[in-house]
Amino acid sequence: MHPFLETDRLSLRPFTEADTDHLLALDNDAEVMRFINGGRSTTREAIRARTLPRLLHDHPCSGTRGFWAAEEKATGAFLGWFEFRPLDDHDPTVVELGYRLGRTAWGSGYATEGSKALIHKGFTELGVQRVTANTMAVNTRSRRVMEKAGLSFLRSFTGDWPEQIEGSEHGEVEYELTREEWERHCRETRPTLQA
């Protein structure tokens, strides 16, 4: 399958129904799901009925899907997924960045690498003007990835969740990066040429 995006170590490709077992394993790891649903297990039926339709959805405004299966380029191993999804199906300018990687991929820089590559593609090819990302305030690892990818803290907020999970009493945080901020950072970090 043709990849949507490649980095030095990652290949991001569209999901297919053949990814059901990968998703089932990922969503049944209590540590992976700790800040998503408190670590509760997920059924195969839930993957087929709720998860896959969301991951297979095409966004007409951007001509892309919003979720990408992440594989290690060297081995083809499934690592998890990245989200780079328009918040409105009719407006490609504001997208949400997200990631869910299996524990074997943690601490290797994959989340930052994939996030930076998606942000670059969004600002240079997809007409994105603003990238946003949310997580629980206590999810320090995810917050660090957002910061490394260039996003800045925007606000804290509390959601009206149907079920409380450990740490949710501290609320959520939102980070963002605008195209203007990204371009300014690129100019400032570009090496200057010596005459």
Side-chain angles (χ1 to χ4, degrees), residues 4 12 17 22 32 46-47 50 71 74 85 104 107 110 113 128 144 152-153 156 168 179 189:
F4 172 71
L12 305 186
E17 291 190 14
H22 292 138
V32 169
I47 296 290
R50 290 192 302 269
E71 296 177 336
R85 173 183 63 85
T104 59
Y110 288 128
E113 184 176 326
V128 172
R144 185 68 187 126
S152 299
F153 174 79
S156 295
S168 61
R179 182 177 182 154
T189 58

Side-chain angles (χ1 to χ4, degrees), residues 169-187:
E169 68 274 12
H170 300 287
E172 304 270 324
V173 290
E174 181 180 2
Y175 283 70
E176 75 166 353
L177 177 63
T178 65
R179 182 177 182 154
E180 181 180 293
E181 291 165 340
W182 179 79
E183 288 175 341
R184 181 172 52 247
H185 177 75
C186 288
R187 284 192 303 272

Side-chain angles (χ1 to χ4, degrees), residues 12 66-68 81-85 95-101 111 114-115 118 131-134 142 145-146 151:
L12 305 186
F67 293 87
W68 309 100
W81 54 255
F82 285 87
E83 171 189 10
F84 201 70
R85 173 183 63 85
V95 299
E96 181 173 22
L97 172 69
Y99 30 81
R100 184 177 302 168
L101 301 178
S115 296
L118 284 166
V131 176
T132 182
N134 302 303
S142 188
V145 169
M146 293 172 191
L151 283 76

Side-chain angles (χ1 to χ4, degrees), residues 4-5 58-60 78 83 88 94 104 112-113 117-118 122 134-135 138 140 147-149 154 167 180-181 186:
F4 172 71
L5 176 65
D58 290 312
H59 295 274
F78 178 83
E83 171 189 10
D88 180 331
V94 180
T104 59
T112 301
E113 184 176 326
L118 284 166
N134 302 303
T135 191
V138 295
T140 55
E147 292 164 358
K148 286 181 178 179
L154 178 64
E180 181 180 293
E181 291 165 340
C186 288

